[in-house]
Amino acid sequence: MHLADIKPRHFLWQMEGEVAVIRLNRPERKNPLTFDSYAELRDTFRDLVYAEDVKAVVFASHGGNFCSGGDVHEIIAPLVERDMKGLLEFTRMTGDLVKAMIQCTKPVISAVDGICVGAGAIIAMASDIRFATPQASTAFLFTRVGLAGCDMGACAMLPRLIGQGRAADLLYSGRSMSAEEGYQWGFYNRLVDAEALEAEALAYATRLAKGPTFAHGITKTQLNQEWSMSLEQAIEAEAQAQAICMQTRDFERAYRAFAAKQKPVFEGD
């Protein structure tokens, strides 16, 4: 499957070499999500598993903001009128976006500027790598609209990123985490000036795209699967995973390049 030429209706998509750049496209509203954009993003990340032409993904900001969460008028207002079956249909769909991001086998780098709240904070959390500007303001603000902090996997994933106590603070209070806090706590990998943010995220993604991409997919799979494994199970799973990678041509290419004192050129097979 090739995704380079897809034309999504509910977000922007462009290819930079072998890196897909995604950005929400409602900058006048700080890029909220709608029912349609949730579903289309979910389906796109599901398709990325099979996309041979996409080696990495940058989820970028737009108009100085990343994402303001679910649209108040287009999501929250209709949800008030739904019955339990309809509500569960929605919450499962939003969780499916996170699962699709985790399972897509491609490294996902979020480039966060400005507002990154609600489901936007979840998208950043579900990414593999997070860059942010000093102006980034991140909040898991579900309690501020009368909901629990346990949304789209936050209670499972956020403590693993920043620690249980810090995650509890953000999920109970709904307060904003500053960019500096996020960086010091390990939520953000790097702080970058706004004018350089997307270029730096794209350069990082491009370096990954030029690496052993089959092996990157194995790394992503193991990072996520080993959450629920004992140490002994994890060591055995990694032994099997590495043996699989040793059968790739990229492994042979790396050896031959090393022997010839050259830089390996990986092709992902």
Side-chain angles (χ1 to χ4, degrees):
M1 176 182 289
H2 295 274
L3 291 184
D5 298 324
I6 71 165
K7 293 179 171 55
R9 295 174 55 204
H10 302 289
F11 57 87
L12 297 178
W13 168 280
Q14 69 187 79
M15 291 296 299
E16 296 289 345
E18 296 178 305
V19 178
V21 180
I22 293 171
R23 68 186 89 242
L24 298 172
N25 191 28
R26 301 178 72 189
E28 74 286 354
R29 299 279 302 280
K30 300 180 182 179
N31 305 313
L33 288 156
T34 66
F35 291 120
D36 290 331
S37 57
Y38 264 123
E40 193 168 31
L41 284 167
R42 175 203 60 198
D43 293 344
T44 300
F45 276 101
R46 284 175 173 172
D47 288 343
L48 280 169
V49 175
Y50 310 103
E52 299 175 1
D53 54 336
V54 179
K55 308 298 186 185
V57 179
V58 170
F59 206 121
S61 299
H62 189 196
N65 293 289
F66 187 70
C67 174
S68 57
D71 188 283
V72 173
H73 302 295
E74 296 185 39
I75 287 187
I76 296 178
L79 288 178
V80 173
E81 305 299 325
R82 287 195 180 192
D83 61 12
M84 178 57 70
K85 182 175 182 291
L87 292 170
L88 190 56
E89 181 182 73
F90 170 71
T91 54
R92 283 176 171 162
M93 179 185 72
T94 64
D96 282 345
L97 169 57
V98 172
K99 288 189 283 187
M101 291 180 67
I102 290 169
Q103 295 166 3
C104 80
T105 72
K106 322 288 180 175
V108 180
I109 298 92
S110 279
V112 177
D113 190 16
I115 295 299
C116 174
V117 300
I122 298 290
I123 288 172
M125 179 191 73
S127 301
D128 299 287
I129 303 290
R130 288 159 294 278
F131 292 176
T133 68
Q135 294 75 38
S137 179
T138 308
F140 300 82
L141 43 64
F142 308 108
T143 58
R144 290 168 59 182
V145 295
L147 297 176
C150 54
D151 198 73
M152 299 170 69
C155 284
M157 298 177 70
L158 191 60
R160 289 176 166 89
L161 290 173
I162 65 174
Q164 184 82 4
R166 290 164 176 165
D169 170 26
L170 296 181
L171 296 177
Y172 278 121
S173 70
R175 74 170 181 84
S176 293
M177 174 179 64
S178 70
E180 184 60 32
E181 279 181 314
Y183 176 66
Q184 293 295 332
W185 292 355
F187 186 85
Y188 287 116
N189 298 82
R190 192 177 303 177
L191 296 185
V192 184
D193 289 339
E195 61 271 15
L197 174 66
E198 188 169 324
E200 189 147 346
L202 184 59
Y204 184 92
T206 299
R207 286 196 296 275
L208 295 185
K210 293 184 181 301
T213 52
F214 176 86
H216 287 341
I218 294 290
T219 299
K220 180 161 184 167
T221 297
Q222 293 306 125
L223 278 169
N224 291 298
Q225 288 188 347
E226 290 181 32
W227 281 9
S228 57
M229 293 182 186
S230 68
L231 179 58
E232 287 186 357
Q233 290 171 325
I235 291 172
E236 174 58 23
E238 291 190 7
Q240 294 181 27
Q242 204 70 300
I244 291 170
C245 290
M246 288 174 182
Q247 297 179 70
T248 63
R249 296 186 66 188
D250 273 347
F251 180 60
E252 181 181 350
R253 288 185 187 101
Y255 164 70
R256 295 192 183 284
F258 178 81
K261 298 183 179 180
Q262 297 173 348
K263 185 177 180 179
V265 177
F266 297 115
E267 297 182 22
D269 61 348

